[in-house]
């Protein structure tokens, strides 16, 4: 019955439906372990507070460093072999890696397995690329905004599931369950996703320089990469130590793992609720204007987060940060879609993935350094300053292109 209904849909809408569920499950898989990752690190050795902060930051960021390095290669391969194959590779690779992480015996093994996770990654970026290339331009904001709700919906449920599992069973079993989730994603993509794809012939793949020559506004594309980079720095600066900050606010009381999951879930809840609406609004009034709203909201809620005194206050402000994410993240991808030729979309999305991953490396690194000098609260104040810098860079670049109607569709 479900297959019959899917077969009646246009290809882009059918794939959006299936890949929404795929990225939803992927979001669960990734976020399920994040609330207790630093606590899991704490079980692998006898560390001081500074050592625990440092090792948590390394463990978190090494995945994204590897992703940043390998993403352009996967993007180039997607152009020649197809995006569905990349989705299958990523989901199966993640399944194996999460099984291995559940068996780690020391911090160095865990760091190594997290590095492998980065090398096998790319599911969400390839899902975005597939939807971007198969969706009519006038529906791009809606489609990509909808896809974001799948990721953030999974990120919403993942911390709750992870927190509950870690409290009831063990950290290790939670990794095993996550591996099973990725196996399920592999099966769904294999059986349900349909790809309309014309491969690039051997020897005809464009060089990086040639890719950028295909772009109408290459400087804007680079500006969008930098915007993605800084957004991710801000988003991930607190991620490695969120459980430790919650434990501090909670004064070591029982339930830290659960409350860490709640706090980690708040941005996902907000983004899931708001992203499709902001995507549709951007299709009507201009994606660049949605970015302005996003920067304003992000600064307004990030700065006061540095002064919270209770877990519930932190949770509310993290929810509001999720609303700003709902404006900015789909907007960047929509602008990339509207200004990128179809034949190089995978490459451009892969480069954007690299910048996003570099932000996920720089974010925890910045958060770790700031926390060591100014404690956890300083992270939010530093992030608020970065938001101002990001807004200035973005609007300096887009202001020079305000007469290009394609940016306002």
């Amino acid at each position: 019955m479900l297959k019959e209904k899917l077969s009646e849909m246009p290809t882009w809408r059918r794939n959006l439906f299936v890949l929404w569920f795929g990225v939803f499950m992927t979001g669960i898989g990734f976020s399920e372990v994040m609330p207790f990752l630093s606590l899991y690190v704490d079980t692998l050795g006898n560390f001081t507070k500074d050592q625990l902060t440092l090792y948590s930051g390394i463990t978190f960021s090494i995945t994204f460093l590897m992703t940043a390095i390998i993403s352009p290669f996967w993007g180039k391969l997607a152009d020649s072999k197809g995006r569905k194959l990349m989705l299958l590779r990523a989901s199966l690779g993640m399944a194996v890696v999460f099984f291995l992480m559940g068996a780690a015996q020391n911090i160095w093994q865990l760091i190594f397995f997290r590095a492998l996770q980065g090398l096998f990654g790319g599911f969400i970026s390839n899902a975005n690329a597939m939807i971007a290339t198969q969706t009519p331009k006038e529906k791009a904001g809606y489609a990509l905004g909808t896809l974001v709700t799948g990721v953030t919906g999974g990120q919403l449920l993942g911390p709750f599931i992870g927190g509950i599992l870690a409290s009831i069973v063990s950290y290790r079993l939670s990794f095993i369950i996550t591996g099973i989730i990725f196996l399920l994603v592999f099966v769904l993509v294999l059986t349900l996703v349909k790809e309309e794809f014309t491969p690039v012939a051997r020897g005809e793949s464009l060089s990086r320089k040639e890719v950028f020559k295909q772009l109408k506004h290459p400087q804007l594309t680079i500006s969008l990469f930098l915007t993605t980079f800084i957004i991710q720095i801000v988003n991930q600066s607190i991620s490695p130590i969120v459980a430790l900050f919650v434990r501090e606010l909670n004064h070591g009381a029982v339930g830290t793992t659960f409350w860490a999951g709640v706090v980690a879930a708040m941005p996902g809840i907000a983004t899931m609720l708001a992203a499709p609406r902001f995507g549709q609004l951007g299709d009507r009034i201009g994606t660049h204007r949605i970015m302005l709203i996003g920067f304003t909201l992000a600064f307004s809620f990030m700065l006061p987060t540095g002064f919270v005194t209770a877990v519930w206050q932190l949770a509310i402000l993290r929810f509001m940060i999720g609303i700003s994410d709902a404006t900015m993240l789909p907007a960047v991808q929509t602008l990339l879609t509207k200004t990128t030729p179809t034949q190089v979309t995978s490459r451009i999305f892969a480069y954007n993935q690299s910048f996003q991953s570099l932000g996920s490396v720089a974010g925890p690194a910045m958060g770790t350094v700031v926390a060591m000098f100014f404690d956890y609260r300083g992270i939010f104040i530093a992030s608020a300053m970065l938001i101002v810098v990001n807004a200035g860079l973005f609007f300096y670049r887009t202001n020079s292109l305000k007469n290009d109607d394609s940016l306002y569709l």
Side-chain angles (χ1 to χ4, degrees), residues 22 59-60 120 126 134 185 216 238 242 274 293 297-298 305 356 359 371 383-384:
T59 302
F60 183 87
F120 283 108
N126 277 286
Q134 295 185 348
V185 172
K216 185 178 181 181
I238 191 63
V242 63
I293 295 172
L297 292 176
T305 308
Q356 184 175 0
S383 295

Side-chain angles (χ1 to χ4, degrees), residues 359-394:
S360 295
V361 175
M366 184 196 81
T368 298
V369 172
V370 171
M372 292 176 71
F373 284 95
F374 301 102
D375 205 16
Y376 301 138
R377 299 178 185 276
I379 298 174
F380 301 103
I381 297 173
S383 295
M385 297 303 103
L386 273 179
I387 291 168
V388 174
V389 172
N390 200 7
L393 291 173
F394 177 81

Side-chain angles (χ1 to χ4, degrees), residues 67-333:
T67 300
I69 293 171
I70 199 67
S71 285
F73 169 77
W74 292 136
K76 186 175 182 179
L77 193 62
D79 283 335
S80 61
K81 301 296 183 182
R83 299 172 189 101
K84 179 175 179 177
L85 181 62
M86 294 298 100
L87 293 169
L88 293 171
R89 169 200 55 76
S91 54
L92 184 59
M94 291 299 94
V96 174
V97 167
F98 271 84
F99 286 135
L100 292 174
M101 282 194 284
Q105 298 300 308
N106 57 59
I107 184 61
W108 303 113
Q109 288 182 4
L110 181 60
I111 290 173
F112 175 71
F113 295 145
R114 289 279 295 174
L116 287 181
Q117 179 183 347
L119 291 175
F120 283 108
F123 185 91
I124 293 173
S125 64
N126 277 286
N128 280 322
M130 178 176 282
I131 294 302
T133 55
Q134 295 185 348
T135 302
K137 295 288 186 182
E138 66 274 11
K139 299 289 186 180
Y142 161 76
L144 292 170
T146 300
L147 202 62
V148 166
T149 67
V151 181
T152 53
Q155 291 171 344
L156 154 66
L157 292 178
F160 284 116
I161 295 172
I164 292 172
L165 283 176
S167 300
I168 296 177
V169 286
S170 68
Y171 300 141
R172 295 184 183 277
L173 183 58
S174 297
F175 282 104
I176 302 300
I177 292 173
T178 305
I180 295 173
I181 289 174
F182 279 113
L183 280 178
L184 175 60
V185 172
F186 173 81
V187 173
L188 289 174
V189 173
L190 181 66
T191 57
L192 296 178
V193 169
K194 305 299 180 183
E195 182 175 25
E196 297 175 358
F197 175 73
T198 302
V200 176
R202 183 182 297 274
E204 294 182 5
S205 182
L206 300 176
S207 66
R208 183 182 296 109
K209 185 177 181 179
E210 291 170 332
V211 167
F212 280 89
K213 283 184 177 180
Q214 300 285 316
L215 303 176
K216 185 178 181 181
H217 301 297
Q219 293 301 318
L220 173 62
T221 301
I222 293 173
S223 177
L224 292 171
F225 291 164
L226 291 175
T227 299
T228 296
F229 174 66
I230 299 177
I231 289 173
Q232 202 66 9
I233 288 177
V234 171
N235 283 343
Q236 301 298 345
S237 60
I238 191 63
S239 294
I241 49 85
V242 63
L244 305 178
F245 187 39
V246 169
R247 185 167 66 184
E248 183 178 286
L249 289 173
N250 207 30
H251 306 294
V254 176
T256 292
T257 302
F258 171 77
W259 285 113
V262 172
V263 170
M266 287 298 102
I269 297 174
T271 304
M272 182 180 177
L273 294 173
R277 293 170 177 81
F278 280 120
Q280 290 176 322
L281 182 61
D283 287 336
R284 293 200 302 270
I285 70 172
T287 309
H288 69 295
R289 295 191 179 98
I290 292 296
M291 290 293 295
L292 175 59
I293 295 172
F295 286 126
T296 303
L297 292 176
F299 177 81
S300 299
F301 299 125
M302 184 64 73
L303 189 62
T305 308
F307 302 95
V308 299
T309 57
V311 175
W312 67 267
Q313 295 171 353
L314 178 63
I316 290 175
L317 287 171
R318 293 300 289 171
F319 178 89
M320 302 309 294
I321 287 296
I323 293 180
S324 71
D325 286 344
T327 65
M328 293 187 291
L329 294 174
V332 169
Q333 294 175 350

